[in-house]
Structures are given as C-alpha cells and as structure tokens.
Amino acid sequence: MTYSTIDQAIHTVLKTGPKAFLCKCDIASAFKLLPIRPSLVPFYGCHWNDQLYFFVRHPFGGRSSPRIFDCLSQALEWILLNKYHVQYCQHLLDDFLTVDCSEQESLRTMAIITMVFKKLNIPLSPSKTIGPVTSLEYLGIILDTDAFEARIPVDKINRMCNLIHQLSRKKRCTKRELLQLIGHFNFATRIIIPGRSFLSYLFHVSCSVDELHYHVRLGKEARIDLSMWEEFLTRWNGRSLFLESSLITNVDLCLFTDAAGSYGYDGIFGSKWFSGNWDDDFIRLAHHKRNITLLELMPIVISAVLWGANWSRRRIIFYCDNQALVYILNKRRSANSIIMMFIRRLTLLSLKYNFHLMALHIAGATNGIADAISRRVTVCTKHLQFSLYSSSSFNFIKKLTRRYWLLSLAPSTRRSYATGLRIFQQFLFFSNIKRRLHQCFDEQTIQYFISYCIGVLHIRSSSIRSYLAAIRYYCLRIGRTDPLRHSNGTWKFSVNTLLKTAEKFNSRSQRHRLPICSKLLSRICHKLNGSFFDIYWDSLLRASLCCAFYGFLRPGEFTVNKFNASRNLTLSDMHINRNSATFHLKRSKTDRCNYGVYIRYYRTNNCLCPISHLHTYIKHRSKLFGHLSSNSSPMFIMPTGRALTRTEFVKRLREVISSFGINSSFYSGHSLRIGAASTAAKAGLPIYLIKILGRWSSEAYRRYISVSSSTISNAFLLMSKI
C-alpha cells in the first residue's frame, strides 16, 4: 500500500491558489472500529498473569491493521469526492484533509464530512477536527495558505536544535543518538529540500559501526553538516514557500554563466550581466587552472547572490556542459573542500530566496551563448540570446511562439479546435490517407472531409464550420496558405457549396430556442412568489432571471460549471444601492483581452425590477448564510452553499414554464438573451443601442431578434391601408 504525502497536499494548495481554506478531521479510535473475523480471533491474543486475552477489534501495531483500515478510508474518500462532489480530499489512514477555494465551500465540505461520518457511525475526534482555516498542521507540517508556505512546528525545531547542541559538544556519540538525529533531519527535508544533501555524510558515518550502542567519531565534515542544519533551522525557521510544480530552464529565464581559465567569468540574466577576471589567489586555490569545475561553479554562485531574489518559488534546471559540475550541483556533495564551501553558500542562498536548482548535462557544441560570453564575444546584451542562439536554444523561441498562438484563443475555442483536428486525423486514418498531417490540406482532401462529416458522422453544419476553422488555424500556424479561402478572402467554391449542402441536411435537426420576452418573464416572476419551490429558491431565481434579462447575459456569465473566483461573478463584483446596481464581468465572450465589462441596472418600479429582486435575494441569503457570505463567494448561490449551476438553473426554469402548460423543451438559458433582444427591438430601441446592451461586435444580434405574429399582422394592416 502507498500513503499520501505532504507533497500531494502542497501541490493541491498550489492549484487552488493563495487564501485557500483547509479542513482536517481525525477518526477517533481508528483501528478499533473494525472487528476481527471470528475465525481469526485466536490468532490475536496474549498471555498475561496466567490469563489469556484476545482482541476482538483490530489492535494498533497489528501488521495487517493499516491495510484493512485504509480500505475503509479509501471508501470514505471516494464517497466524499464522487457522491458529494467535495473539491479535494486526501487521507493518510485516519487523517483527512480537504482544500477549497472559498470559506463558503470549505464550510459546506466540513458539514458534509460531519454528516457522512455520523451517518456511517464513524466517530470523529473533536480535538483534532479543525477548519475551515488558512493554516493548520497536517502530517507534522504546518500548511499556511495566507503566507503560501509550509513550515516545521516550533516544538520540533527546538527539539532538533537541542539534539544538535548536544552532539556538537561531543567528539563521539552512539549510533543510536546519531540515527535519532538523522530521523529528525529526514522529516525536516520535506520542507528543507536542500537539506537532503547534508544527510548523506552523516548516514555514512552511522554505517561505520554495526551495533546501536557502539560509538562513532564526529569528524570535521560531520560537524560542518551539523552546523549547516542548525543554520537551516534557526535562520529560516524551517519555512519554505510553496515551490511551483512546473520546471523552468535557465534558457527560459535567459540566464547564462560560464568561465574560462584564460579569460575570467561572466553571467547574463535578461538585460543584466556581470563580468570579472580571476584573482591570482583564487587561481592558486583552483590548483593553477586545472580545476575547471570550481571555476564554472563560481559564476553560478555569483548569479544566485545577485539575482536569486528573482527566482523565488521556481524549480530551475540549469544546462551545463561540465559533467562533473552537473553531478555536484545535483548531489550537493564533493570531495573537494573548496567546492563544498561554494556549494554550502549556494544551498543557503536557495533557502534564503526559496528556489530549487538542478543541473542537466548538455554537449558543449549546443551551449552557444554560455561559451560566447565566457570568450567575451562583443555583442549587444539585449540581442545576445537571439544572435548567438544555437539549435537547441532556439527551441525556446519556438516554444514561446507556439504558446502565444495558443493564448490567442479562448479556452473553449482551444478545446473545440483540438476536437476538430482529432476528427480530421481520424478521417485520414479511416480513409487510408498515409500522409503527414501538414501534407493533407489540399482542396480535394478538405472536400472529402466535409462529405465525411455530413454523410458518415452526421455532424451539424455549425460544428463542421468549427472543425474547418481548426484546420485553417493549424495551417496558418505552420506557415501554410489558407485552405478554405482565396487570397481575396472569399470562400473557395467547392468548400462553400458543400457547406450549403450540410446546412440543408441539418435544417430539420436544428434545435429551435424560443425567447423569454417580458410578458412570459412577468408570468414566471408572479409564479415564483415564495411557494413554488421555497422562499430562498424563488428569490434566487427571480433575481437571476431579471438580471440576465436586463443585462443581456449569456448563461455562462451568471451560472457556473465549476466556480472560480477569478473568472466568475462574486459578491465583490456587485455594487448596489437603492435605485441602481452594477455588475463587473471579469470575463466575457467578446472581451478577448479580459479587461472586464460593467453591466448597469436601474430601478423599473414593476414586477420585473432587477433592483428590488436583488435586494430581496440578498436579504434571504443573509438570513440563510449570515456571515458566511464572504466577498469571494459566488454572486448567485444555491441553498446547498454551491454556486448556481447552469444545469440547475435551466432545470428549475423549465419546471416553472411547464406549470403554464407550455412545452418547456424549447427554452434554455440563452432564451433570456434572445428575449431581451426581441423585446428591445419591439420597444423601438435603435440598432446601435441593442448592440451596446448585448455587447455584440458583429451583426450576430439579428439572429436573436424574433418577430412575433402580432407584429407581422400589424405590418399587413399598415400595408393594406396604402
């Protein structure tokens, strides 16, 4: 069996972000909850005072007890994650940890855990049930999401420091004493990652004797390692900011260093640089230029001194063409005492600025920039990384270009394009077209693909257009010509003809969405008078419906699939007074640069007034949740404490519409936006104002305006009078 680690918990906090809320609970009398199979009871016994005693529950210390109990813990974790949709949960035997984005979600999680455990008759330890908080101790480590750091508890630090002081005064100690201290150090390396390098020699010393009561000699190197550990624990108090999970190379950072015995040492970091010549004393220290490893280590340490503050929380891979230096940087050990001086300095800097440095060997021929700066090639610093790039370094620019191409698309568009390319590749495979992808964008292949989508996959014309857009995007990205349009921007005749055919085939299967205009919305609001669902649900639906209608909101702008405070509406995005209100949409479909959009509402003094419905909703929300409604909680929140989802909103909207005897299957979350556009057009609002209210940047608004039969009838009457 495998146990969860503190690294997994830290990784989850990193994904959730700063100010995450944590909860912890502990099952009381864990192993004793599980009975032993009656046929196995005779094997769980002991003899004491001429009496035989048998366990009927699993005892602590039993070899099979952890594995059997972990099955129960796994089942509990599965129930919380899959049945109650807890955002994150991990366990170590009887310890459970949850991480949530907001205090509201965390309170819901703690309530669910308490309810589930009580329902299953699994007792929780009150003294060890904590949360929601932003700082707690888990697996012996304090996780602090406010400071975004992990740290060792003070009592453990004091215990380790006392042991170090005791051994530092001795020339010899028993193997048991040294192993006890090594065990504490090994625990501390969960947080003090560079400390692992200063355990190997102490462990080597402990292995010099066999028995635990034998004495070992603490030499100079052992004492230096002990002093390093004391500095780790006292100077930085066992603290470590959460490191980023992704790795970054020195090329990504534009960080390059090198040294040459005849020239000196140099380093460059973006537009910053340093350069120096070797001191005669240092050259003698490096054994007359023969120890190139020491010479190349020196500028790396200088870089950490000068620029280490800019590397905070990063895991850096340093490309190096010196294999010996790569080994030393990764192991943090060397037989050379002078090199160890610099390694210790580098280790202390990595703790001070909280970064982790690793090394990877590359051939000298591909290390162009580093070699150039060590030979003092005279090149403008700003353009050094471009003018001297070798083939391997240029991959960095290629990766950047690919990344910027992807960032030009919205996440939903990226997913749609990925689907389109995947289906195109499937078509090539099933059609036995054995060519590489970039060779398959000729006009004839595109025609075959459209026919495949229409006749085989029966895909809607709108989806086919999306897939063709993905093909066009990919072609332009790799530098090919547009496979769908001529150079003047017009559609190619064959492609346009097949797309029109697709529209004819799909015309019957298109889903028609009816508008919710002001008249139907009034009936819905009258129905939601507090007795249709309940007082809270009715007030929530009235407020969300009226805000969506007058704000021309898309369903994804006021409902969520998975709540994210940085993307979705929160309480802090709403400013409301007696006669008006403002919503701040952080992201929307037409706001490609995410500048944010402000939606304004004003009092209408009728049954559809968004201001009065918002005030009513806020009042009922305060009664239900009280102080739990923090500014980072969702704007529209269900009675369960979760953000209003699109599925739940549409489901309840259709229930209300069905109560009028109307077929509700033609109504969706988008019906409010369609109804708002239609109502605005019927009210005689000018076209430019409809486009502004609906935030349309194209002529797409025309598709949203539906003309009622009464309007057409009036038009006939007016025509007949002429």
Side-chain angles (χ1 to χ4, degrees), residues 187-326:
F187 167 79
T189 55
R190 298 180 184 184
I191 300 303
I192 308 173
I193 297 175
R196 294 169 184 169
S197 307
F198 299 94
L199 272 181
S200 56
Y201 185 77
L202 293 174
F203 188 74
H204 175 72
V205 171
S206 69
C207 293
S208 60
V209 296
D210 297 328
E211 300 297 331
L212 291 175
H213 62 277
Y214 287 179
H215 283 73
V216 295
R217 184 176 178 275
L218 298 176
K220 182 181 178 182
E221 284 294 319
R223 292 178 181 279
I224 292 175
D225 284 354
L226 288 175
S227 65
M228 282 290 293
W229 270 103
E230 187 174 13
E231 191 162 8
F232 290 159
L233 297 169
T234 55
R235 190 167 178 179
W236 286 283
N237 199 23
R239 295 172 182 266
S240 173
L241 294 177
F242 295 148
L243 296 176
E244 294 176 356
S245 56
S246 58
L247 298 173
I248 189 170
T249 67
N250 64 303
V251 178
D252 297 333
L253 290 171
C254 292
L255 169 66
F256 304 93
T257 66
D258 206 359
S262 53
Y263 289 98
Y265 56 90
D266 301 85
I268 181 171
F269 177 54
S271 60
K272 303 174 184 177
W273 59 276
F274 67 83
S275 179
N277 296 317
W278 298 118
D279 185 82
D280 293 337
D281 293 336
F282 189 80
I283 289 294
R284 285 195 294 273
L285 198 63
H287 299 293
H288 304 283
K289 308 176 189 177
R290 293 176 186 172
N291 195 339
I292 188 62
T293 303
L294 175 58
L295 298 181
E296 292 197 358
L297 176 60
M298 176 114 171
I300 294 176
V301 178
I302 294 173
S303 299
V305 172
L306 295 175
W307 305 315
N310 298 311
W311 308 342
S312 179
R313 296 186 57 239
R314 295 188 181 274
R315 299 177 189 266
I316 304 170
I317 297 179
F318 204 93
Y319 291 140
C320 180
D321 54 15
N322 186 319
Q323 204 156 8
L325 182 57
V326 169

Side-chain angles (χ1 to χ4, degrees), residues 27 87 98 138 200 249 327 338 354 392 421 431 483 576 695:
I27 298 176
Q87 186 174 350
T98 64
Y138 179 66
S200 56
T249 67
Y327 179 84
I338 307 300
N354 206 75
S392 66
L421 285 175
S431 304
I576 186 170
R695 292 163 283 127

Side-chain angles (χ1 to χ4, degrees), residues 34-204:
L34 302 178
I36 297 173
R37 184 182 297 178
S39 60
L40 297 178
V41 168
F43 299 100
Y44 285 83
C46 63
H47 180 265
W48 185 66
N49 283 350
D50 296 328
Q51 297 286 331
L52 288 174
Y53 296 89
F54 294 96
F55 290 99
V56 293
R57 301 271 177 173
H58 279 276
F60 286 88
R63 187 173 181 179
S64 60
S65 297
R67 179 69 184 92
I68 296 171
F69 184 82
D70 193 60
C71 292
L72 172 64
S73 297
Q74 286 180 25
L76 291 169
E77 182 178 325
W78 187 91
I79 291 170
L80 294 173
L81 293 174
N82 295 280
K83 294 298 182 181
Y84 292 92
H85 307 292
V86 170
Q87 186 174 350
Y88 172 81
C89 178
Q90 93 172 45
H91 76 278
L92 177 64
L93 291 180
D94 58 340
D95 280 336
F96 286 77
L97 175 73
T98 64
V99 184
D100 292 285
C101 299
S102 64
E103 187 179 8
Q104 192 77 41
E105 291 279 332
S106 194
L107 282 162
R108 171 187 173 272
T109 298
M110 181 56 79
I112 286 172
I113 290 174
T114 306
M115 181 267 292
V116 169
F117 280 56
K118 185 177 181 180
K119 198 172 182 179
L120 296 174
N121 291 323
I122 298 175
L124 290 175
S125 173
S127 61
K128 295 182 180 180
T129 300
I130 303 170
V133 293
T134 55
S135 176
L136 58 74
E137 183 176 336
Y138 179 66
L139 304 184
I141 301 294
I142 295 176
L143 301 175
D144 190 336
T145 61
D146 281 332
F148 220 46
E149 69 178 14
R151 59 180 179 268
I152 302 170
V154 176
D155 58 329
K156 290 183 173 66
I157 292 176
N158 294 335
R159 193 183 310 139
M160 284 187 275
C161 289
N162 290 334
L163 289 172
I164 292 172
H165 288 315
Q166 292 174 16
L167 293 189
S168 298
R169 292 195 296 266
K170 298 179 180 179
K171 293 183 179 180
R172 292 177 176 275
C173 69
T174 63
K175 181 177 180 176
R176 178 181 281 106
E177 290 175 327
L178 185 57
L179 287 177
Q180 181 184 6
L181 185 58
I182 289 173
H184 282 86
F185 288 163
N186 190 50
F187 167 79
T189 55
R190 298 180 184 184
I191 300 303
I192 308 173
I193 297 175
R196 294 169 184 169
S197 307
F198 299 94
L199 272 181
S200 56
Y201 185 77
L202 293 174
F203 188 74
H204 175 72

Side-chain angles (χ1 to χ4, degrees), residues 390-622:
S390 62
S391 58
S392 66
S393 300
F394 190 69
N395 289 334
F396 167 62
I397 302 299
K398 291 167 68 176
K399 289 178 182 177
L400 269 183
T401 306
R402 191 158 52 245
R403 181 174 174 233
Y404 292 152
W405 267 94
L406 291 174
L407 288 175
S408 68
L409 303 174
S412 58
T413 309
R414 284 202 295 269
R415 291 192 294 270
S416 176
Y417 281 10
T419 303
L421 285 175
R422 187 177 69 251
I423 290 177
F424 184 67
Q425 288 173 318
Q426 290 173 359
F427 156 72
L428 296 177
F429 176 77
F430 290 123
S431 304
N432 203 25
I433 299 177
K434 297 180 179 179
R435 285 181 288 167
R436 294 189 176 183
L437 182 61
H438 66 274
Q439 298 172 338
C440 300
F441 298 125
D442 55 282
E443 188 173 347
Q444 191 174 29
T445 306
I446 297 295
Q447 292 180 53
Y448 293 156
F449 174 63
I450 297 173
S451 301
Y452 170 77
C453 291
I454 299 171
V456 179
L457 300 182
H458 305 291
I459 296 175
R460 294 171 58 190
S461 58
S462 58
S463 299
I464 296 174
R465 288 181 181 274
S466 174
Y467 298 162
L468 291 177
I471 294 172
R472 177 177 180 269
Y473 168 83
Y474 182 80
C475 286
L476 296 176
R477 200 185 83 182
I478 63 176
R480 301 287 298 273
T481 57
D482 189 340
L484 307 177
R485 299 173 185 266
H486 295 293
S487 56
N488 61 1
T490 59
W491 283 90
K492 290 184 178 180
F493 177 77
S494 58
V495 174
N496 193 32
T497 302
L498 286 172
L499 286 175
K500 288 180 179 177
T501 304
E503 289 174 359
K504 291 178 182 178
F505 270 82
N506 298 142
S507 60
R508 295 180 182 177
S509 62
Q510 284 187 354
R511 181 169 57 93
H512 297 286
R513 293 176 297 190
L514 293 179
I516 296 179
C517 296
S518 56
K519 187 176 180 180
L520 178 57
L521 185 59
S522 298
R523 292 181 66 188
I524 293 171
C525 288
H526 279 301
K527 194 75 172 179
L528 296 170
N529 57 4
S531 60
F532 191 84
F533 293 111
D534 57 50
I535 293 177
Y536 182 81
W537 259 116
D538 288 0
S539 65
L540 167 62
L541 289 173
R542 286 199 307 270
S544 57
L545 284 166
C546 291
C547 289
F549 179 78
Y550 284 107
F552 288 70
L553 298 182
R554 300 176 179 90
E557 292 172 344
F558 67 98
T559 62
V560 303
N561 289 326
K562 185 176 181 181
F563 178 71
N564 185 338
S566 64
R567 292 172 177 268
N568 303 119
L569 276 173
T570 62
L571 276 182
S572 60
D573 296 322
M574 178 179 66
H575 300 280
I576 186 170
N577 55 39
R578 182 178 177 81
N579 295 312
S580 64
T582 304
F583 284 5
H584 177 229
L585 297 181
K586 294 184 277 287
R587 293 172 182 261
S588 63
K589 184 178 179 180
T590 53
D591 182 22
R592 295 179 62 85
C593 297
N594 299 324
Y595 292 131
V597 178
Y598 287 95
I599 308 295
R600 294 177 176 84
Y601 298 94
Y602 297 93
R603 185 175 288 280
T604 60
N605 296 321
N606 60 12
C607 64
L608 298 181
C609 178
I611 305 303
S612 60
H613 289 316
L614 275 174
H615 279 297
T616 305
Y617 162 66
I618 292 170
K619 182 180 73 173
H620 290 304
R621 174 177 172 147
S622 300

Side-chain angles (χ1 to χ4, degrees), residues 673-686:
R673 183 171 167 86
I674 300 171
S678 301
T679 304
K682 188 176 180 180
L685 269 65

